[in-house]
Amino acid sequence: MTARVIDGKAFAATIRGKVAGHVARLKADHGITPGLAVVLVGEDPASQVYVRNKGKQTAEAGMASFEHRLDAGTSEADLLALVARLNADPTVHGILVQLPLPGHMNAELVINAIDPAKDVDGFHISNVGLLGTGQKAMVPCTPLGCLMLLRDLHGDLSGMEAVVIGRSNIVGKPMAQLLLGDSCTVTIAHSRTRDLPAVVRRADIVVAAVGRPEMVTGDWIRPGATVIDVGINRIETDGKTRLVGDVDYASAAKVAGAITPVPGGVGPMTIACLLANTVTAACRANRLPEPEGLTA
Ligand code: NAD
């Protein structure tokens, strides 16, 4: 079997198109321009790239993009004061504080200072609780993107066996909650799981969010299973750097029914879902109907 390749790049473009359509209607019918504020503290090169891409794609979707760059020595109090200003600003519907923050800052404190209704990353403790209890939440972008890919592929996920490898607050745990919300039978595997290959072999859906290059090999995959590879790892081969996932694509693609490549799979969905969350936040703030197909 050769797996169907799940084209996250194309699907993300479809999502961004839907977002742009909804933004245009919000502007024309209600005079509302959804706005996303991104806060970057320090000079982390990867974060700079993410923030630049987020700003560019926000503007391309017709939304207002506000960038706040603070130097690495900024005090936590000053950052909290900025977050408070953004919370109070009616032109800002989404706030994202780019992680990681410098060591002298308490990231949990800062994230929990964001108005939960504007918390488009879905990391605020209120949103974590809402998601965990099956209530309307802002959902973390990467797992939301994975869910959208899975729904697009399978339609109804009800009753499917899903194994999520990784238990981080950013990917693994919210991913498991979302799959449970769609009535999958969910196993969360992690670094202490016994006989991980045997656990993964049970799965109709495997989501790998580990951060270990090409750890999941084809012999772990049940024939025909869907493999969602969240991992982004830089490895050196022949003096060249290349990106690989947590799944050994070559061997897994021979066994799986469908698989996301790295790059071009889950990655592009993350920013698309950030834009989707911002439109959703703008609709909720104005008590307008939410866009269809852009939420969990
Ligand atoms: P993390 O380090 O916070 O969590 C990794 C998890 O993997 C942990 O829960 C740990 O228990 C588990 N783990 C570690 N070693 C393991 C092993 N040998 N066997 C089984 N489980 C093991 O990482 P994260 O933030 O969840 O990110 C995971 C990966 O996803 C990284 O490669 C990251 O770069 C990538 N990522 C991609 C996107 C995207 O937009 N595509 C977004 C976020 C994270």
Side-chain angles (χ1 to χ4, degrees):
M1 178 183 285
T2 305
R4 171 177 165 183
V5 181
I6 301 172
D7 188 347
K9 203 172 162 193
F11 195 67
T14 307
I15 297 294
R16 291 199 305 273
K18 277 193 192 172
V19 168
H22 210 82
V23 169
R25 281 192 294 281
L26 280 175
K27 282 183 183 172
D29 299 347
H30 304 282
I32 297 163
T33 302
L36 173 65
V38 178
V39 180
L40 174 62
V41 186
E43 309 285 322
D44 181 65
S47 296
Q48 301 227 10
V49 174
Y50 295 143
V51 167
R52 203 178 313 128
N53 286 339
K54 283 168 187 169
K56 191 169 157 267
Q57 294 190 27
T58 305
E60 279 169 8
M63 299 198 268
S65 164
F66 309 100
E67 256 181 49
H68 296 269
R69 289 171 182 265
L70 308 178
D71 65 54
T74 302
S75 70
E76 188 181 87
D78 283 349
L79 176 58
L80 289 170
L82 172 60
V83 169
R85 284 201 300 282
L86 297 172
N87 283 342
D89 184 342
T91 66
V92 172
H93 302 95
I95 302 169
L96 181 150
V97 176
Q98 184 67 47
L99 300 177
L101 287 171
H104 65 283
M105 289 184 177
N106 178 341
E108 279 173 10
L109 186 82
V110 172
I111 297 303
N112 288 326
I114 297 172
D115 177 349
K118 298 188 178 189
D119 168 40
V120 282
D121 252 345
F123 297 159
H124 190 290
I125 192 69
S126 296
N127 283 314
V128 175
L130 289 168
L131 178 62
T133 49
Q135 299 180 69
K136 199 181 266 190
M138 292 307 298
V139 176
C141 303
T142 300
L144 179 59
C146 296
L147 183 74
M148 285 184 183
L149 291 173
L150 286 166
R151 283 181 178 166
D152 181 59
L153 188 70
H154 292 290
D156 186 5
L157 306 182
S158 176
M160 294 179 87
E161 285 281 343
V163 173
V164 178
I165 319 174
R167 56 176 160 182
S168 73
N169 292 333
I170 291 175
V171 189
K173 281 187 204 151
M175 186 74 247
Q177 299 282 9
L178 289 170
L179 291 166
L180 199 55
D182 271 24
S183 300
C184 292
T185 302
V186 183
T187 303
I188 306 179
H190 47 79
S191 51
R192 301 296 177 92
T193 296
R194 262 185 269 150
D195 199 356
L196 184 59
V199 172
V200 173
R201 245 174 248 128
R202 294 205 299 257
D204 302 310
I205 295 170
V206 181
V207 180
V210 186
R212 290 182 175 254
E214 301 174 322
M215 182 184 83
V216 178
T217 47
D219 56 326
W220 297 20
I221 307 293
R222 177 160 143 182
T226 298
V227 178
I228 304 290
D229 189 353
V230 181
I232 301 177
N233 308 290
R234 281 176 180 78
I235 61 165
E236 293 274 334
T237 30
D238 307 326
K240 283 191 194 134
T241 307
R242 60 186 186 101
L243 283 188
V244 297
D246 293 339
V247 176
D248 175 35
Y249 186 87
S251 63
K254 289 191 186 127
V255 188
I259 186 166
T260 56
V262 177
V266 173
M269 291 298 293
T270 298
I271 298 186
C273 287
L274 175 68
L275 305 183
N277 278 349
T278 306
V279 173
T280 300
C283 292
R284 287 181 187 169
N286 290 283
R287 299 185 188 285
L288 292 168
E290 289 177 20
E292 297 231 340
L294 296 181
T295 51

